[in-house]
Amino acid sequence: MLKARGRMAPVTFHAPGPHWPATVAEAEAEQDRLRPLADLDSPGPAEVGLVAGLDVGYLDDDEVVGAVVVLDAASLAVVERAVVRQRASFPYVPGLFAFRELPPLLAALDKLSVRPDLLVCDGYGLAHPRRFGLACHLGVLTGLPTIGVAKTPFVGEHAEPPPARGAWSAIRLDGEVVGRALRTREGVKPVFVSQGHGVGLDNACAHILRLSPAYRIPEPIRQADHLSRHP
DNA sequence: GCGACAG
DNA sequence: ATCTTGTCGC
């Protein structure tokens, strides 16, 4: 007899449960355990149909708002939005950012009725003290290609990229290239792009540039940021 | 020891 | 992240 079951959610994940880390040591161990599972070698899709931007907003009393906005990659038209409000399950600790933002983001992703081809995260991926930032973590948990885009530098060193839109400079950490400072608007401060999962750095930057036709911040993240502030 | 530190 | 005025420029 067939097992009765409802529609499978288009994006599934390991929901934060009893195994969710409660201490810094546990969280760091979890990053070390998952790091080998991140795909940093695939060039990734050069073209995508649906792109999702993700961001988390903060309310009083340790409440967080996870927001996801799915856009048509070609037109940048909004296809679907999802928001969730919940209690924060981890404090903000630089380097362990994912454990604070992952729960609301996964919950929001789970509400989608479509499956994005690419996730653009607000934060870092490979450019991380243990090479496993939010974008890598989200990619491993969902299995979807991810890119990390941060607004401020976090680790490593980088030169000031030339002023033209599209110009970039490498972010180096311990002699390795872990990302790029990418200029998405002429004469405006660059954004910091790093690999998450299943997308190469060249492709990641090409996607971010196309997704930022008018503003410094890529459209998917701008939309998600707006939604996280106006649930 | 002290400062810095994605959001 | 969030608390916050005015100002310069497209």
Side-chain angles (χ1 to χ4, degrees):
Chain A
M1 154 172 180
L2 288 177
K3 185 185 290 184
R5 32 149 281 201
R7 187 198 96 266
M8 192 70 84
V11 181
T12 56
F13 56 89
H14 304 306
H19 297 309
W20 199 247
T23 66
V24 166
E26 287 172 13
E28 292 181 339
E30 179 69 347
Q31 292 182 325
D32 290 337
R33 183 177 78 82
L34 298 177
R35 185 178 45 241
L37 302 181
D39 172 12
L40 303 173
D41 303 318
S42 302
E47 307 285 329
V48 296
L50 298 178
V51 198
L54 304 91
D55 194 21
V56 175
Y58 294 80
L59 303 174
D60 301 316
D61 292 313
D62 240 18
E63 282 231 294
V64 292
V65 178
V68 181
V69 178
V70 181
L71 311 184
D72 173 76
S75 66
L76 298 188
V78 174
V79 171
E80 186 174 3
R81 288 179 237 261
V83 220
V84 299
R85 174 179 168 160
Q86 58 182 229
R87 264 193 116 49
S89 53
F90 206 88
Y92 170 66
V93 180
L96 299 179
F97 185 47
F99 296 95
R100 184 168 177 73
E101 301 215 335
L102 234 25
L105 292 179
L106 291 170
L109 279 173
D110 210 39
K111 294 177 78 175
L112 293 179
S113 67
V114 295
R115 183 185 180 81
D117 302 303
L118 175 68
L119 303 182
V120 181
C121 311
D122 189 13
Y124 282 99
L126 222 209
H128 176 275
R130 275 173 303 285
R131 306 291 205 284
F132 199 72
L134 173 67
C136 298
H137 205 143
L138 192 57
V140 168
L141 295 191
T142 63
L144 295 173
T146 61
I147 297 172
V149 178
K151 297 182 278 300
T152 63
F154 180 38
V155 293
E157 309 85 42
H158 64 88
E160 176 77 9
R165 169 181 146 78
W168 56 270
S169 62
I171 298 173
R172 288 197 170 71
L173 178 60
D174 298 325
E176 292 173 54
V177 172
V178 295
R180 287 178 191 168
L182 174 67
R183 194 87 69 183
T184 51
R185 278 205 71 179
E186 167 139 21
V188 173
K189 192 165 67 145
V191 293
F192 303 85
V193 180
S194 60
Q195 290 180 73
H197 173 72
V199 184
L201 189 52
D202 283 334
N203 251 327
C205 289
H207 283 303
I208 295 309
L209 207 49
R210 267 175 303 179
L211 294 170
S212 317
Y215 302 98
R216 175 170 92 110
I217 305 302
E219 204 54 28
I221 290 186
R222 282 190 73 239
Q223 294 281 342
D225 178 81
H226 190 200
L227 181 56
S228 74
R229 295 173 199 267
H230 305 283

